[in-house]
Structures are given as structure tokens and as C-alpha cells.
């Protein structure tokens, strides 16, 4: 299977991959090098990392003759490798550009109103593989237990500035958590506007700092948190995979479609007339973020801390 390149999509594909593995198929994932630690959290899965500068034809020679079928979700290096390796059955989403590289396009029945995980499950179900087992959706077992009273805040989003709550409200929320006796850690990510560092600077020694890069190597830290409060981005999906409980602040995205997997999480959103626009940068006045007040977020946090 080709790993989706986006982190959220990679997380959404995990249940489908687990279903394939449970069916008895010898399964491997061809993934970007920076995803290797993430996929290694799935026992018995063969992980084939792709170096950022890897050449398609060289990779194809390495895997040629070893696999009877492949599954691709999108165009890109992995789909090129499958084609160049002449894998006999090349399955994938029935989309115009990708279809040219496939021998068996799959018609997927998921609709935009369903959670994105259905996109991946539907493809596997088309192959006759059942996907309804609860364990397919369970967090990975990293051997790390959450520490009581720990809360990780991630104000930055790699999805774009329109997915970020105003920093002054993050400061207000963090101070309420600290005053309540909770141990707060602020996570910064390698992309975005540096909101993690700004929040850390505002809190000083009252909070710890954590640079969550590369994201797949941050999994043990995420697993050790009793609660993760985050902007809508890649980090809460990885935290969910690691077993943390998340409160995710949604703006232009739709939580019905892209919330982290698992009923234990909470999504907080101020629905406005122009949402969900899904845009990384707001062309208007960022009302979906500015109209989300701290009290509403705090209430969602309290419900998860009880």
C-alpha cells in the first residue's frame, strides 16, 4: 500500500490497512521516510521508507517481483514505483490521473458527508475485506501511559493560518489551565507562524516547551499526555493515533469529515456562514476563529478533564 502523504490522511488510512493485514494478506507500506516511525507502530507491518531524493526506477527494481498487488490512493512517487515495478495487479482510486497507472481502478462509494475514513474503508471493502472490527480503529500501543494532570497545547497548524485560533485566547486558556494546577506543555511545529514559541514566551517558566518535529518521532510525548488541546492540523491526528484524548479547535474545516478518529475526542467549532471553506488562508475576516470564545473551549476542556 502507498501511504498517503498528508499526516491526517495517513491516520485515516490505518483502519483500512489493519483490515487488510487481518485478512491474512502479507502487507507492506511504501511511505515517505519521515513517516517510517509512525507506520512502525503497527505490529507485523513491513515498512519500506522512501528517501526524499529517491528515484522511481531504482525503487521499482528493489521491489519488483516481490508483490502480487499494490494499492495507491493518489498520484505521486509511490504510484510511479508500482507501475515501474510492473506489479501485476495495481489497484487504486478511480480518478482520472491515477487511473492511467492502474490495472484495477476501484469505485469508492463514500460521500462528502461521511468521515474521511470511509474513503479508505470503502476501497478495502470493494476487495471483499470486512472492516467493521473495533480493533482496527484503536490507538497504537506505544507502551506509554498518560501522566495525570498533563496537558499539551498546540496553537499552530500546518494546514494554514486560517486554522489557527487567536494567540491571545491561547494565552488566556493556558493561564486558566496553569491556575487549575495542571502541568502545561506547549508544542511548536516546524511550519506555520510560530505560535507555539509565542505562547511559550508569554507563559515563561510556568509551562514547558516541546518542539514536535519531526512529527512521527513526537508520538511517545503525545501518548504521555492526559489531554491534547490543538488547532486543527496534523498533530491532533497523530496524538489520537498515539492514544491521547484531544480537544481540537476547528475553523474552516468540517469536524464531521475530518475529526480525529475515536469517540473520546471533542471538536469545538464556531459555525459561520462561510464555513466550511477548507481554505488555508481566509479571504474575509477569519470570523470562524475570532468568534470562537475562550469560554466555549474551556467548557469542552473541563468535560475531558473530569
Amino acid at each position: 500500500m502507498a501511504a498517503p502523504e498528508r499526516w491526517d490522511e495517513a491516520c485515516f488510512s490505518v483502519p483500512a490497512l489493519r483490515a487488510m493485514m487481518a485478512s491474512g494478506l502479507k502487507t507492506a507500506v511504501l511511505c515517505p521516510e519521515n513517516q517510517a516511525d509512525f507506520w512502525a507502530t503497527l505490529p507485523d507491518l513491513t515498512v519500506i521508507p522512501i528517501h526524499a531524493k529517491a528515484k522511481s526506477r531504482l525503487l521499482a527494481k528493489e521491489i519488483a517481483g516481490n508483490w502480487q498487488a499494490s494499492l495507491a490512493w493518489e498520484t505521486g512517487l509511490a504510484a510511479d514505483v508500482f507501475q515501474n515495478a510492473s506489479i501485476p495487479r495495481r489497484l487504486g482510486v478511480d480518478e482520472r490521473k491515477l487511473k492511467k497507472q492502474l490495472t484495477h481502478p476501484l469505485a469508492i462509494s463514500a460521500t462528502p458527508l461521511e468521515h474521511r475514513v470511509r474513503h479508505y474503508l470503502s476501497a478495502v471493502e470493494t476487495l471483499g475485506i470486512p472492516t467493521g472490527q473495533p480493533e482496527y480503529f484503536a490507538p497504537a500501543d506505544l507502551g506509554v501511559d498518560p501522566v495525570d494532570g498533563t496537558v499539551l497545547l498546540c496553537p499552530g497548524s500546518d494546514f494554514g493560518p486560517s486554522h489557527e485560533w487567536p494567540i491571545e485566547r491561547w494565552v488566556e486558556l493556558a493561564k486558566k489551565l496553569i491556575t487549575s494546577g495542571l502541568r502545561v506543555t506547549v508544542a511548536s511545529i516546524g511550519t506555520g507562524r510560530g505560535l507555539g514559541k509565542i505562547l511559550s514566551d508569554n507563559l515563561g517558566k510556568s509551562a514547558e516547551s516541546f518542539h514536535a518535529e519531526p512529527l512521527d518521532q513526537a508520538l511517545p510525548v503525545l501518548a504521555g499526555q492526559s489531554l491534547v488541546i490543538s488547532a486543527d492540523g496534523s498533530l491532533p491526528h497523530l496524538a489520537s493515533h498515539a492514544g491521547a484524548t484531544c480537544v481540537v479547535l476547528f475553523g474552516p474545516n468540517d469536524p464531521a469529515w475530518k475529526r480525529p478518529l475515536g469517540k473520546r475526542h471533542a471538536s469545538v467549532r464556531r459555525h459561520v456562514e462561510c464555513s466550511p471553506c477548507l481554505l488555508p488562508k481566509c479571504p474575509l475576516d477569519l470570523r470562524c476563529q475570532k468568534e470562537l470564545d475562550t469560554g466555549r473551549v474551556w467548557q469542552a476542556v473541563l468535560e475531558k478533564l473530569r
Side-chain angles (χ1 to χ4, degrees):
M1 188 190 91
E5 292 189 6
R6 282 176 56 115
W7 278 116
D8 55 342
E9 297 291 331
C11 291
F12 296 151
S13 72
V14 166
L17 179 57
R18 283 173 166 162
M20 285 196 295
M21 295 171 66
S23 73
L25 292 172
K26 177 187 175 183
T27 310
V29 63
L30 190 66
C31 67
E33 194 173 38
N34 67 341
Q35 288 186 4
D37 285 352
F38 169 81
W39 292 110
T41 63
L42 303 184
D44 302 320
L45 176 66
T46 299
V47 180
I48 306 174
I50 305 174
H51 189 273
K53 296 182 179 179
K55 301 297 183 181
S56 171
R57 295 192 181 277
L58 292 177
L59 280 171
K61 288 181 179 179
E62 292 180 18
I63 69 170
N66 297 329
W67 304 95
Q68 295 175 315
S70 62
L71 177 57
W73 307 106
E74 56 201 5
T75 57
L77 181 59
D80 292 342
V81 171
F82 295 157
Q83 184 178 29
N84 290 331
S86 298
I87 293 177
R89 293 173 59 86
R90 298 190 298 278
L91 303 95
V93 181
D94 189 0
E95 294 180 350
R96 183 176 62 85
K97 292 183 178 180
L98 180 59
K99 189 175 181 179
K100 300 174 183 178
Q101 298 176 291
L102 306 176
T103 61
H104 295 73
L106 301 176
I108 295 178
S109 60
T111 70
L113 297 179
E114 294 181 300
H115 191 280
R116 181 64 174 171
V117 72
R118 287 296 315 159
H119 174 75
Y120 299 97
L121 295 176
S122 295
V124 173
E125 290 164 358
T126 301
L127 304 177
I129 298 174
T131 63
Q133 296 301 316
E135 59 266 26
Y136 299 162
F137 301 84
D141 183 6
L142 303 183
V144 178
D145 294 324
V147 178
D148 289 341
T150 56
V151 180
L152 184 139
L153 305 181
C154 182
S157 173
D158 55 338
F159 291 176
S162 65
H163 295 259
E164 296 173 336
W165 202 35
I167 189 62
E168 62 273 12
R169 294 183 191 171
W170 278 106
V171 173
E172 182 182 354
L173 176 66
K175 289 181 176 179
K176 289 172 74 73
L177 291 165
I178 293 167
T179 302
S180 300
L182 294 163
R183 178 181 165 187
V184 173
T185 298
V186 178
S188 58
I189 58 175
T191 57
R193 299 180 293 165
L195 296 188
K197 184 178 185 307
I198 296 171
L199 179 56
S200 291
D201 290 345
N202 271 274
L203 299 177
K205 295 182 179 180
S206 59
E208 298 179 29
S209 298
F210 170 62
H211 187 58
E213 291 289 338
L215 278 172
D216 61 333
Q217 294 181 21
L219 289 170
V221 175
L222 299 176
Q225 306 298 316
S226 62
L227 185 66
V228 171
I229 309 170
S230 177
D232 175 30
S234 294
L235 185 137
H237 295 285
L238 288 166
S240 171
H241 179 77
T245 298
C246 301
V247 174
V248 186
L249 280 54
F250 277 82
N253 210 345
D254 188 348
W257 182 48
K258 283 285 191 94
R259 68 188 181 279
L261 294 175
K263 295 181 179 179
R264 67 192 182 279
H265 309 299
S267 302
V268 190
R269 177 193 188 199
R270 172 70 173 97
H271 181 69
V272 295
E273 300 86 346
C274 50
S275 65
C277 71
L278 311 180
L279 297 174
K281 188 174 182 179
C282 180
L284 299 174
D285 54 8
L286 205 60
R287 64 189 67 179
C288 62
Q289 297 288 2
K290 292 180 179 179
E291 293 182 13
L292 178 60
D293 62 83
T294 309
R296 187 172 175 183
V297 176
W298 179 244
Q299 186 59 44
V301 170
L302 288 179
E303 291 176 3
K304 293 301 175 183
L305 288 173
R306 287 172 185 158

